[in-house]
Amino acid sequence: MNEPCAIAHARRQTDGSYAIHCLEEHLHAVAVLAGNHATAMDSADWAYLAGLWHDLGKYADEFQRRIKSVSGYDPDAHLEGSVGRVDHSTAGAQHAVEQFSVHGRILAYLISGHHAGLPDWHSGETGGAALNVRLNDKSHLERALRKPIPQSILAQNKPASLPLGKSDGFALWVRMLFSCLVDADFLDTEAFMDEGKAAQRAGYPAIEELLRRFDSHMNENFSGAEPTRVNRIRAEVLRQCREKANDAPGMFSLTVPTGGGKTLSSLAFALQHAAQHGKRRVIYVIPYTSIIEQTANIFRDIFPDAVVEHHSNLDPDKAETVKSRLATENWDAPIIVTTNVQFFESLFAAKTSRCRKLHNIVNSVVVLDEAQLLPPEFLQPILTAVNLLAQHYGVTFVLSTATQPALNSRSGIGWTFKGLDGVREIVRDPDTLYRDLERVTVELPENLHETQNWDEIAERVQRHESVLAVVNSRADARELHRRLPKGTLHLSALMCGEHRSRVITDIKRRLKDGEAVRVVSTQLIEAGVDVDFPVVYRALAGLDSIAQAAGRCNREGKLERGKVFVFVPPKPAPPGHLRRAAQTTVSLLFASHENPLRRELFQHYFEQLYWKAPSLDKQGIEDLLKANGQGEVQFRTAAQRFQLIEESGYRSVIVRYADSPTLIGNLKKEGPKRWLMRKLQRYTVSLPDYHFKKLLDNGDVSEVHPGMFAQTADALYHAELGVLVDNTNIDPNALVG
């Protein structure tokens, strides 16, 4: 069979004939698209060459035979030789090094990893062939060069643009280029293989249009709001955010007490700043998966056609297949709502699907909601990445929180903390704002070291008809809940997102209608869940957590003062960060019973908390990613170590709640389609490995698609409590509640 060109892809058409995607055409198209992606970071020449050479290995006879056989274009192709897996990415990497020596290694990382992910330079702990090993086997390039490859592809000048960020920023720059390449390769392939899907990617409204819609929504919102003191303060915060949005791009803080309207005010700043300075999108980064739905829904009410919600439950990145990639996004929408885990792990990732979206972070506005919840053990590499994005990639950051962490640079004898400098506060006078929005009285126990038992705590809580009690772990939530009167509501991450959303909606309705409601919750209710209780009880925790819990009390300022009671539970907070946070609070407050929510306390609190952390880079990420003069970086090892939530210790299970049984059936039949994964995210629960294995052994859960598990036993999921697990030994880390 004679074909007109070397084949990149072959597609069987409805009439039984085959459409051929010529390799030369694919290489040039990916080169142009990758170069366009990298224009915003002034590195188009590197990305263009990576696209031009990424599939050189496909010229080899071995690959051509394989694609003809596998696609069915030539079913007899297997008779000419092996049609097994063919390495088609190493040839281009070797050509780059032959052309440009050490500088060619930059392209070699990109090209060699465009399917399998960015490699380590040296063999390390992750397995897989290291780049220095792959470059030594010249047979890949030799096989490709036996074919007549046009010189217009092979002969190129060395790129002239320089890496961004010197040695500290080299790894991020390479990862950004990698994003440009893999997204371009995906989009060009998709345009050939599935024209309909490619057409669906266009048509988002412009930032300027979104700003007009937002202004209209807010004008209507405030015109109908009650003229209360709190609403007047929120309007002033909003006004100051709009005013400050005209300032030059860079780093900002938005320091507003809980209940001060941070969510919509920060969005006002972001949209106006983006319109004023030509930013491409707004990315809203939220600490917990458990409350992302609320923020995404607020934004969707205003912009139904412009918001992409992307978080990590059932993330197809963890089981990368052709089908699973359809459930990921490349973040090309104008408003992205995501989590700390998804955002920061992507910035340190090696997998193609995880990295694909990174170039769309360039020239954006990123709002870090509840910035105090950045994990101390990874704080240094996170802040290094934030600095690099702000300095070299046109990203404006907004650190939005009631309790600003101490992120400024400082040093002492034998140590240096490279923080965020030059951060500008959006609100003109935070101290006055805090005094004006003071709506609660916090009562501390007389002895912060003396515990109470759950019966004593329950007896105090149930004295109040409407009350919220916030505890430190899922196990604690159940211990307290079972001691409270029937009808008490329960919230924890052992309930799926859809279940939590329905309970939160019910809580808000009851509070609005003046009905009595008692709620026991883990800390998931503290960040971004807008409820307004007259009384809140909070188990001893970090000072920032106590402040967040207080933000759920008298939120609208309708009472003279709300009441917040801190109690010492029978067991300390779970080991690690949560326990260190509680201990830091005790050391700060033990000698003083003044108002624990004084703004000046938070600087001292965070300084002590970070100082007590075992390390602000416990996995040595910065050393792994710091390039030497030879460009030798351990990309894959760093990605494996940078896990804000230890992936290896948890498994996601799709539970049976509401409509999920039908969706589980669809998953079994169709696999992880994008629309289906979007829906299933709301019905997943993350369980520790030891619980998951027990459920799997008992037949309570089963694998419904490779790497994806669903509830089998009806009794596993409780209508009030969520997944039923052994309360005596539950989730010692309790990372998200």
Side-chain angles (χ1 to χ4, degrees), residues 108-140:
Y109 280 117
L110 312 178
I111 295 167
S112 67
H114 79 272
H115 283 299
L118 283 167
D120 284 340
W121 175 259
H122 297 290
S123 297
E125 60 198 52
T126 60
L131 184 56
N132 68 340
V133 174
R134 292 176 64 180
L135 292 175
N136 288 332
D137 182 0
K138 302 298 183 182
S139 64
H140 300 288

Side-chain angles (χ1 to χ4, degrees), residues 592-610:
S592 170
H593 275 58
E594 294 182 51
N595 178 14
L597 304 186
R598 302 190 310 278
R599 198 171 81 89
E600 64 269 20
L601 271 183
F602 291 106
Q603 176 81 13
H604 303 305
Y605 166 76
F606 282 109
E607 286 177 351
Q608 285 195 34
L609 183 64
Y610 297 154

Side-chain angles (χ1 to χ4, degrees), residues 575-593:
H577 171 68
L578 294 178
R579 186 170 297 179
R580 285 193 301 274
Q583 291 168 343
T584 302
T585 299
V586 172
S587 67
L588 273 178
L589 300 181
F590 188 68
S592 170
H593 275 58

Side-chain angles (χ1 to χ4, degrees), residues 70-71 78 124 147 302 346 367 398 415 461 548 612 631 650 652 681 709 718-719 735:
V70 171
S71 68
H78 69 283
K147 308 302 290 185
I302 310 172
S346 294
V367 179
V398 180
W415 62 275
V461 170
Q548 291 294 335
K612 288 179 179 179
Y650 290 82
S652 287
Q681 282 179 336
F709 295 83
H718 190 276
L735 287 170

Side-chain angles (χ1 to χ4, degrees), residues 509-577:
R509 181 195 61 77
R510 294 195 199 184
L511 290 170
K512 183 179 179 181
D513 293 346
E515 296 180 22
V517 56
R518 295 186 180 96
V519 179
V520 176
S521 177
T522 60
Q523 60 267 40
L524 69 83
I525 202 169
E526 291 177 345
V529 180
D530 299 336
V531 291
D532 185 4
F533 283 85
V535 179
V536 170
Y537 280 75
R538 183 52 168 103
L540 180 65
L543 194 63
D544 55 328
S545 293
I546 294 172
Q548 291 294 335
R552 314 308 123 190
C553 182
N554 196 24
R555 189 176 184 85
E556 299 301 322
K558 294 179 179 179
L559 305 174
E560 183 65 29
R561 287 277 177 161
K563 295 286 188 181
V564 177
F565 300 96
V566 177
F567 62 90
V568 184
K571 293 181 180 179
H577 171 68

Side-chain angles (χ1 to χ4, degrees), residues 275-306:
Q276 176 73 22
H277 298 286
K279 303 300 182 187
R280 299 188 297 173
R281 59 186 43 84
V282 173
I283 304 174
Y284 214 92
V285 184
I286 296 173
Y288 296 147
T289 300
S290 54
I291 52 95
I292 191 174
E293 298 98 342
Q294 174 177 284
T295 301
N297 287 337
I298 291 171
F299 293 172
R300 281 200 195 95
D301 285 344
I302 310 172
F303 319 111
D305 55 347

